[in-house]
């Protein structure tokens, strides 16, 4: 059943997409096993072909509006788009609003766009393993996958592990660029967009602040210098340049073979999160902690991620019984 579902996903059968997403959100044992099997199938396919883009930034920076504009541009270029809107659990409205906007614009008829809101946080405050699974599923079906998350800080690090490209949306004059540099997070995004360029000089000033901050920080050497672009999501200005930059970054990653390690880092983070979700930090510690999981991951060979997850789960259960 999982191979059939995987096939239907690759054919962009929207019913299958909805079914698969429901499966990974279902915590009961049977669907959980089916979801694991599905993810293994997807992983054994070609996980690298879809463009996965994290969109992050302070509340109100214009992330949803920007995604809306990017979707329009990508559809004009004949690309299909899946979106995971990660809602803070207290507030379900962001994804719903974007959903309404997308529907209003395209009617319900455009089957090249799919949006799903997913709960943001597991109980330990991390991005849920469900979100990761959601991204895998959409990546099987769509050319481009966007993941929208709010915040400056922890969420960047987490989303970075889910995607190929991290796009940070800066708000003109809000000082979040300064905060960003102070927090030492400026190394993470692959692309900066100062949105609301229609505000004029304020946006331009924020752009040069960010550019200045980037000039001072040391950019890790994968041959890519993060651009700082100005755009107005509202007026659809500068959107084509952003799409070009996303593809240029992907090309740079492919050329530097940076993609596989980046995906692996993401998978490892997912594995640790999934085990912590189920057994808590105590359970993970019982088999030697993150370090042990990391070396088992590095040595996993042909073992799929869900297989390794099951093996480690059994070991944790044994260790906890023995304790
Ligand atoms: N002037 C101007 N306003 C914009 C632009 N883009 C978005 N906005 C407005 O900024 C507000 C927030 O936009 P959203 O797209 O909802 O921002 P967001 O970052 O997704 O917000 P959260 O999901 O709540 O964090 C809305 O009132 C938008 O209309 C822009 O390019 N120019
Ligand atoms: Mg939003």
């Amino acid at each position: 059943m999982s191979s059939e579902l995987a096939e239907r996903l690759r054919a962009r059968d929207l019913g299958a997409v909805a079914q698969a997403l429901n499966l990974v959100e279902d915590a009961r044992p049977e669907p959980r096993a089916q979801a694991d099997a599905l993810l293994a199938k997807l992983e054994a396919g070609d996980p690298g072909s879809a463009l996965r883009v994290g969109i992050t930034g302070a509340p109100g920076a214009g992330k949803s509006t920007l995604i809306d504009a990017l979707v329009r541009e990508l559809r004009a270029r004949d690309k299909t788009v899946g979106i995971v809107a990660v809602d803070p659990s207290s507030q379900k409205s962001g994804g719903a609003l974007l959903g309404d906007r997308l529907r209003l614009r395209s009617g319900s008829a455009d089957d090249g766009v799919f949006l799903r809101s997913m709960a943001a946080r597991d109980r330990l405050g991390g991005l849920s393993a469900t979100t990761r699974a959601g991204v895998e599923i959409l990546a099987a079906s769509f050319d481009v996958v966007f993941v929208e998350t709010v915040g400056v800080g922890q969420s960047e690090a987490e989303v970075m592990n889910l995607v190929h490209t991290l796009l940070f949306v800066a708000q003109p004059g809000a000082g979040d660029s300064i905060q960003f540099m102070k927090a030492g997070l400026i190394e993470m995004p692959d692309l900066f967009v100062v949105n609301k360029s229609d505000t004029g000089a304020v946006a331009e000033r924020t752009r040069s602040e960010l550019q200045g901050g980037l000039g001072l920080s040391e950019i890790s050497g994968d041959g890519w210098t993060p651009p700082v672009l100005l755009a107005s999501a509202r007026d659809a200005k500068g959107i084509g340049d952003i799409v070009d930059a996303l593809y240029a970054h992907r090309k740079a990653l492919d050329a530097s073979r940076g993609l596989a390690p980046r995906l692996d880092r993401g998978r490892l983070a997912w594995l640790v999160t999934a085990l912590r979700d189920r057994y808590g930090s105590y359970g993970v510690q019982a088999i030697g902690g993150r370090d042990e999981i990391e070396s088992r991951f590095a040595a996993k060979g042909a073992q799929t991620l869900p297989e390794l997850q099951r093996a480690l789960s059994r070991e944790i259960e044994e260790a906890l019984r023995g304790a």
Side-chain angles (χ1 to χ4, degrees):
M1 116 126 215
S2 62
S3 1
E4 190 220 321
L5 193 52
E7 278 318 303
R8 285 168 61 211
L9 285 177
R10 292 200 186 97
R12 201 161 38 81
D13 171 340
L14 296 189
V17 174
Q19 191 186 335
L21 289 170
N22 289 340
L23 205 55
V24 300
E25 286 186 324
D26 196 328
R28 291 171 300 165
E30 171 79 355
R32 197 154 193 161
Q34 287 174 4
D36 282 355
L38 173 66
L39 290 172
K41 279 278 170 342
L42 295 180
E43 206 198 326
D46 178 12
S49 60
L51 197 69
R52 305 171 189 211
V53 182
I55 309 263
T56 180
K63 300 176 292 295
S64 299
T65 313
L66 185 64
I67 289 174
D68 185 41
L70 290 168
V71 166
R72 218 174 315 178
E73 173 73 19
L74 286 161
R75 294 302 290 137
R77 297 188 190 192
D78 242 1
K79 303 289 186 194
T80 59
V81 189
I83 304 148
V84 178
V86 179
D87 280 310
S89 28
S90 58
Q91 177 212 345
K92 266 266 169 196
S93 61
L97 284 175
L98 177 59
D100 289 347
R101 213 177 288 155
L102 288 169
R103 265 189 299 277
L104 269 180
R105 199 192 61 243
S106 58
S108 54
D110 186 2
D111 69 353
V113 184
F114 185 95
L115 171 93
R116 175 73 161 233
S117 290
M118 298 187 97
R121 303 278 138 192
D122 60 30
R123 58 200 149 70
L124 298 167
L127 270 186
S128 59
T130 312
T131 307
R132 167 154 208 95
V135 172
E136 291 293 340
I137 287 164
L138 293 184
S141 296
F142 297 92
D143 298 324
V144 180
V145 177
F146 288 120
V147 186
E148 177 184 344
T149 54
V150 188
V152 174
Q154 191 192 12
S155 58
E156 269 80 20
E158 291 167 341
V159 175
M160 186 184 160
N161 285 322
L162 282 177
V163 298
H164 303 152
T165 305
L166 185 64
L167 185 163
F168 180 78
V169 183
Q171 170 104 288
D176 54 352
S177 52
I178 312 285
Q179 280 307 113
F180 210 60
M181 286 177 255
K182 277 197 193 134
L185 294 166
I186 202 163
E187 294 89 359
M188 279 195 266
D190 303 292
L191 176 59
F192 294 84
V193 172
V194 178
N195 188 35
K196 311 190 185 182
S197 62
D198 49 90
T199 58
V202 196
E204 182 51 56
R205 196 173 332 116
T206 302
R207 200 198 71 83
S208 38
E209 273 170 25
L210 268 174
Q211 192 78 70
L214 272 170
L216 294 174
S217 72
E218 201 168 300
I219 305 302
S220 57
D222 56 0
W224 174 258
T225 307
V228 184
L229 303 176
L230 269 175
S232 170
R234 190 194 68 185
D235 301 345
K237 288 266 160 51
I239 306 301
D241 289 347
I242 299 174
V243 170
D244 290 345
L246 295 177
Y247 279 100
H249 180 242
R250 175 56 187 271
K251 214 168 152 192
L253 275 180
D254 286 347
S256 70
R257 308 168 67 80
L259 186 54
R262 192 167 179 140
L263 279 176
D264 270 353
R265 260 188 297 152
R267 294 206 171 113
L268 175 63
W270 175 83
L271 182 60
V272 174
T273 309
L275 292 171
R276 275 211 195 109
D277 271 3
R278 211 183 289 191
Y279 302 106
S281 301
Y282 183 76
V284 170
Q285 279 309 322
I287 56 162
R290 194 197 157 91
D291 287 350
E292 173 63 17
I293 298 174
E294 192 165 342
S295 53
R296 294 285 293 278
F297 180 82
K300 79 180 173 61
Q303 200 177 26
T304 66
L305 198 54
E307 278 164 5
L308 178 58
Q309 184 194 4
R310 273 194 291 278
L312 291 170
S313 297
R314 273 195 301 275
E315 286 170 33
I316 291 176
E317 283 164 21
E318 267 161 37
L320 292 177
R321 262 200 302 277

